[in-house]
Structure formats: structure tokens, C-alpha cells
């Protein structure tokens, strides 16, 4: 198989890369960490002109090894932009991070069911377990056996290089990095865990409604965060009942986003952002197990 790049494709790629500065990303602050390239409106991905042919399992492992994940065109906008504008001149099938689970296909990276699909004619074939963007189907999706070699494109979070590692998430509206892809643990262990991640890292502190709403939206929209559920914050009243203090800064809280009938009890001295309450705040027993929500302060 071969990869063909036309003059039209080169022009599209040039315009895309040139538009980084139009979007206000400083030239000395790349939004992606190498080997990823930033495509406005799409995000960070590896060069589609270098197909890296390998089987599905190898493709998953390769993307993980460079801090990314196999391509997930999970919206109509991404599907249309990538395949209509970029891949029309590339004569190669590319793996999607999409695998059969019983009678349905789910995204392998986010472990979410399809809320959008772009299957080609007579697809999917439930006798095959993996999926690809198919040349034969004009880069609509088709199923495939998993052990054949196809091209690989990896996605990665934008501005990966600004955070401490691939599991961190950069929230652009706050210009800050957060870690929520962790194991569950008690509140005290969560405090220690966050501090172990770096000198400027601690359990999240939410001092105003703007930060609160941005974080709630980020958690709701991130498949990994939403699948985990509830997250420890630094807020607690362990020293004096009803006097809520942020653990890292020692500041007394003046802003709250308690859910209805919260806080609930004298014995519940620690606080979580609870997914069942749209990530509003609930008090909880400190030995209970939830996921740490760590944040890294700016230098």
C-alpha cells in the first residue's frame, strides 16, 4: 500500500498549521508535545502521512507509549474535518479505537458506547471485532479482523507538554492542569497522593463560582472522569464542625456549591464533587473511598 499526498492536501496542511497563531497559541508554547501536531478544531494527533502499519493491539500499545490514544472520531465535526478535508488523498486504511463488545461497538480508549457513528454501506459486520476508517468506504467506518496491519493515527490531549504527564488534563479556561485519572482512596491518602505528584500539586481548591462551573463541565464532558464518579476536594471541617477549611492553603471557605440537603452530618468532615448530583458538593466520611482530584498551581 502507498500514501499519496496531493498539492491540495499540502495546502490544507499548510493552512492548518499556519492557523495555530491565528488562534492565539504562542509560537514558543506548542499546544502538543512531540510527536503530535496541533490541528485547530481537531486537536493533537500524529502525522497522518506516516501510517505506521501494525495490527490493532500493536496500534493501541504504540499510541499509549507516546502518551496518546488511538484515533477516536467521536463527533460529526471531527469525522467530517479529518476524513473529508485531510484524508481524501491518502490511500491507506487507518485503525479506529473502536472494538466490538457483544452486539455493539464501544470506544476502546474512553470505554463509552457510540453516541455518533459513520459506518459505511453494509457496516458494521458483527463477525469482525475491530474497526477502521476505510479507503474502500471513502473513509467512512468499516469493520476488520484485528490481526491485520493498518495505518495508525494517535490522538493526545492538547497542550500535553504543559502538564506533568499523559494522565493529566489541561483545562484551557483555567490555564491549569488537573489529574483525575487515578485510583480511589480515603481523603487522607488523597491528600498525600496529590502532594506526591509534585511540589505545586494538591487536592483541588475551588474558591469561586467561575472555577467551580468550569470544572463541573470539564468533569462531565471527560469520559474517564465521568466513569469514575465522585472526587475528593481539599475542603473539610475536621478541626471545627461547620468551619470549612481548604486543606492546602488553610483558607476558610466563603464559596460553596452544596447539593440539596448538604452538608448532611456531624460525622462527615470531608467533601466530594458527586457525579450523581451534577458534581455539586456532598460531605462524606473521610475514610470513604473516592478519587482524588489533584490540581497543579502555576509557577
Amino acid at each position: 500500500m502507498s500514501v499519496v499526498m496531493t498539492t491540495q492536501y499540502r495546502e490544507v496542511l499548510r493552512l492548518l498549521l499556519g492557523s495555530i497563531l491565528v488562534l492565539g497559541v504562542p509560537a514558543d508554547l506548542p499546544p502538543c508535545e512531540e510527536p503530535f501536531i496541533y490541528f485547530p478544531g481537531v486537536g493533537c494527533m500524529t502525522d497522518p502521512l506516516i501510517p505506521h502499519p501494525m495490527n490493532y493491539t500493536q496500534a493501541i500499545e504504540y499510541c499509549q507509549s507516546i502518551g496518546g490514544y488511538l484515533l477516536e472520531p467521536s463527533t460529526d465535526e471531527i469525522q467530517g474535518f479529518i476524513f473529508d478535508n485531510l484524508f481524501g488523498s491518502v490511500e491507506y486504511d487507518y485503525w479506529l479505537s473502536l472494538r466490538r463488545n457483544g452486539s455493539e461497538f464501544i470506544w476502546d480508549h474512553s470505554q463509552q458506547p457510540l453516541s455518533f457513528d459513520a459506518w459505511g454501506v453494509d457496516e458494521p459486520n458483527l463477525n469482525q471485532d475491530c474497526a477502521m476508517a476505510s479507503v474502500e468506504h471513502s473513509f467512512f467506518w468499516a469493520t476488520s479482523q484485528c490481526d491485520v496491519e493498518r495505518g495508525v493515527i494517535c490522538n493526545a490531549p492538547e497542550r500535553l507538554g504543559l502538564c506533568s504527564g499523559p494522565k493529566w488534563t489541561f483545562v484551557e479556561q483555567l490555564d491549569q492542569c488537573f489529574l483525575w485519572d487515578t485510583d480511589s482512596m480515603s481523603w487522607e491518602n488523597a491528600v498525600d497522593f496529590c502532594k506526591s505528584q509534585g511540589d505545586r500539586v494538591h487536592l483541588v481548591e475551588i474558591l469561586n463560582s467561575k472555577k467551580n462551573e468550569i470544572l463541573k463541565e470539564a468533569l462531565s464532558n471527560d469520559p474517564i472522569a465521568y466513569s469514575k464518579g465522585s472526587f475528593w476536594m481539599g475542603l473539610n471541617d475536621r478541626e471545627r464542625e461547620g468551619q470549612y477549611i481548604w486543606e492546602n492553603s488553610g483558607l476558610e471557605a466563603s464559596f460553596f456549591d452544596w447539593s440539596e440537603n448538604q452538608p448532611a452530618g456531624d460525622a462527615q468532615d470531608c467533601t466530594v464533587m458527586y457525579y450523581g448530583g451534577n458534581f455539586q458538593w456532598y460531605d462524606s466520611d473521610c475514610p470513604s473511598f473516592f478519587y482524588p482530584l489533584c490540581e497543579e498551581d502555576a509557577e
Side-chain angles (χ1 to χ4, degrees):
M1 295 184 181
S2 63
V3 177
V4 178
M5 182 168 68
T6 65
T7 301
Q8 181 184 15
Y9 182 91
R10 289 192 182 94
E11 180 64 11
V12 170
L13 189 60
R14 183 188 67 78
L15 291 172
L16 286 172
L17 296 177
S19 64
I20 292 174
L21 294 180
V22 175
L23 294 181
V25 179
D28 60 347
L29 188 61
C32 309
E33 193 173 69
E34 291 185 358
F36 298 97
I37 302 170
Y38 181 68
F39 292 86
V42 177
C44 300
M45 65 182 185
T46 52
D47 190 342
L49 297 180
I50 305 176
H52 300 292
M54 57 188 74
N55 67 39
Y56 185 83
T57 300
Q58 292 169 336
I60 292 286
E61 293 173 349
Y62 169 73
C63 290
Q64 291 175 343
S65 74
I66 61 173
Y69 53 91
L70 193 58
L71 181 65
E72 285 194 5
S74 56
T75 68
D76 182 63
E77 290 78 14
I78 297 175
Q79 169 73 19
F81 183 88
I82 291 177
F83 297 116
D84 293 345
N85 293 302
L86 289 183
F87 295 171
S89 301
V90 179
E91 297 179 356
Y92 212 95
D93 300 325
Y94 285 88
W95 287 121
L96 303 177
S97 179
L98 193 60
R99 185 150 41 180
R100 186 172 67 86
N101 181 19
S103 61
E104 63 178 3
F105 280 78
I106 64 171
W107 294 115
D108 210 352
H109 168 67
S110 62
Q111 290 295 297
Q112 295 297 303
L114 296 180
S115 58
F116 159 83
D117 69 70
W119 293 111
V121 177
D122 297 327
E123 296 287 348
N125 177 356
L126 295 181
N127 293 319
Q128 298 178 317
D129 292 335
C130 293
M132 61 181 174
S134 167
V135 172
E136 182 181 351
H137 290 80
S138 301
F139 291 101
F140 283 87
W141 307 351
T143 54
S144 170
Q145 298 296 341
C146 302
D147 58 355
V148 299
E149 291 191 345
R150 306 203 183 279
V152 178
I153 299 173
C154 306
N155 286 137
E158 294 179 20
R159 301 194 179 184
L160 179 65
L162 294 183
C163 300
S164 299
K167 288 191 173 184
W168 285 77
T169 299
F170 181 79
V171 179
E172 186 171 5
Q173 300 96 314
L174 298 172
D175 195 28
Q176 199 171 2
C177 295
F178 295 86
L179 176 63
W180 51 60
D181 186 5
T182 63
D183 295 326
S184 62
M185 60 191 73
S186 70
W187 185 84
E188 288 189 348
N189 286 341
V191 170
D192 293 339
F193 171 80
C194 289
K195 290 181 177 179
S196 74
Q197 302 303 301
D199 293 338
R200 295 178 286 109
V201 181
H202 53 84
L203 271 180
V204 68
E205 298 192 351
I206 303 175
L207 306 183
N208 55 66
S209 60
K210 178 182 178 181
K211 181 175 182 178
N212 188 57
E213 292 305 312
I214 291 172
L215 267 182
K216 285 165 65 175
E217 182 178 5
L219 293 172
S220 297
N221 291 337
D222 186 276
I224 292 176
Y226 196 80
S227 69
K228 289 182 177 294
S230 302
F231 294 90
W232 286 123
M233 303 188 296
L235 190 66
N236 69 93
D237 66 342
R238 300 199 306 163
E239 295 296 324
R240 181 179 178 183
E241 183 63 30
Q243 183 179 33
Y244 285 90
I245 304 296
W246 291 107
E247 185 277 331
N248 183 68
S249 66
L251 294 173
E252 183 172 355
S254 58
F255 167 79
F256 301 94
D257 187 26
W258 296 117
S259 186
E260 187 176 359
N261 299 321
Q262 295 292 319
D266 294 345
Q268 297 177 319
D269 294 331
C270 296
T271 311
V272 296
M273 299 181 76
Y274 179 59
Y275 80 104
N278 192 31
F279 291 109
Q280 284 189 285
W281 303 1
Y282 279 63
D283 61 357
S284 175
D285 297 332
C286 301
S288 297
F289 271 47
F290 296 107
Y291 295 91
L293 177 51
C294 307
E295 67 177 339
E296 184 174 32
D297 291 335
E299 294 186 17

